[in-house]
Amino acid sequence: MPLLFSKDLNYNIYRDDITLIDPLNTFTGIEKYKLIFWALRFHGRLLFRDISLEVFRIWQPSENVILIRWNLKGVPRVPWEAKGQFQGTSRYKLDRNGKIYEHKVDNLAFNFPQSLRPAASVLDLVTACPTSPNPTFFWGPTDIYSSSWLMLYRAVWETLDGEECMLAKERLLACS
């Protein structure tokens, strides 16, 4: 994956009936899958001066699933200084022969302009009611993902005691 914008994928690991699912579309078939990755490379080179994909973590939560957490960074070809990035996960489902039959792109998170105020505390992050158990933003080394949202939620809950924290606990309950 890190060479996605400079080199074609090895399609021998995919089935001919591979299905790609992203938040807006679903495509089926190896030829469409190849075309999508060709289009990513083509448009990446055409529209960006610099574009790269960084892999944060690869893990296997079950026997037939592989998850990859990644970050895409780019500097567009515009006459002003600009850059952007977004993160997401790719979930690959494998058949009995170890071939990939489904690739789902999910948990996309765009990094917002720096003019927006970041969360002031861990409590602000937890009370934002994340829509999935997967982390949506990268805060540090890859081993940070060894904790789940539930563990983070419990840790924040246990640090809140006293009457002044009742409002915060009510906000946490609203997220659960």
Side-chain angles (χ1 to χ4, degrees):
M1 282 186 71
L3 300 176
L4 172 69
F5 293 100
S6 60
K7 184 177 171 184
D8 203 3
L9 301 176
N10 174 359
Y11 296 104
N12 293 331
I13 62 173
Y14 303 97
R15 287 191 347 195
D16 288 341
D17 63 345
I18 176 83
T19 299
L20 174 68
I21 303 166
D22 69 27
L24 300 175
N25 302 293
T26 299
F27 300 96
T28 300
I30 192 69
E31 293 307 316
K32 289 180 184 173
Y33 195 73
K34 289 177 180 179
L35 184 61
I36 289 166
F37 283 95
W38 174 86
L40 282 172
R41 275 189 312 283
F42 177 79
H43 289 100
R45 291 178 187 156
L46 180 69
L47 301 174
F48 292 88
R49 282 186 282 139
D50 185 30
I51 189 165
S52 63
L53 186 80
E54 179 182 15
V55 174
F56 289 143
R57 182 171 181 212
I58 301 172
W59 71 105
Q60 191 168 3
S62 64
E63 187 176 327
N64 66 336
V65 174
I66 295 173
L67 286 168
I68 299 178
R69 183 98 186 123
W70 47 262
N71 184 48
L72 179 71
K73 294 180 183 181
V75 178
R77 294 181 190 273
V78 292
W80 58 89
E81 188 168 331
K83 57 184 169 182
Q85 63 180 323
F86 70 94
Q87 300 169 14
T89 57
S90 287
R91 178 183 310 261
Y92 297 94
K93 291 188 179 178
L94 288 73
D95 66 13
R96 291 183 192 149
N97 299 321
K99 289 220 174 195
I100 299 169
Y101 67 90
E102 182 180 286
H103 175 182
K104 183 176 183 183
V105 178
D106 204 359
N107 296 314
L108 296 178
F110 294 85
N111 288 351
F112 299 103
Q114 293 180 355
S115 61
L116 295 178
R117 199 180 117 250
S121 68
V122 173
L123 181 60
D124 290 342
L125 294 170
V126 174
T127 58
C129 299
T131 58
S132 79
N134 296 324
T136 323
F137 294 96
F138 178 71
W139 296 297
T142 54
D143 62 353
I144 195 158
Y145 294 116
S146 61
S147 300
S148 70
W149 279 109
L150 182 58
M151 291 171 65
L152 178 60
Y153 176 90
R154 285 182 182 154
V156 171
W157 183 271
E158 290 169 2
T159 62
L160 300 173
D161 60 348
E163 291 182 26
E164 65 275 359
C165 295
M166 286 310 294
L167 181 60
K169 283 190 173 185
E170 288 174 12
R171 288 173 53 196
L172 280 173
L173 283 175
C175 289
S176 56

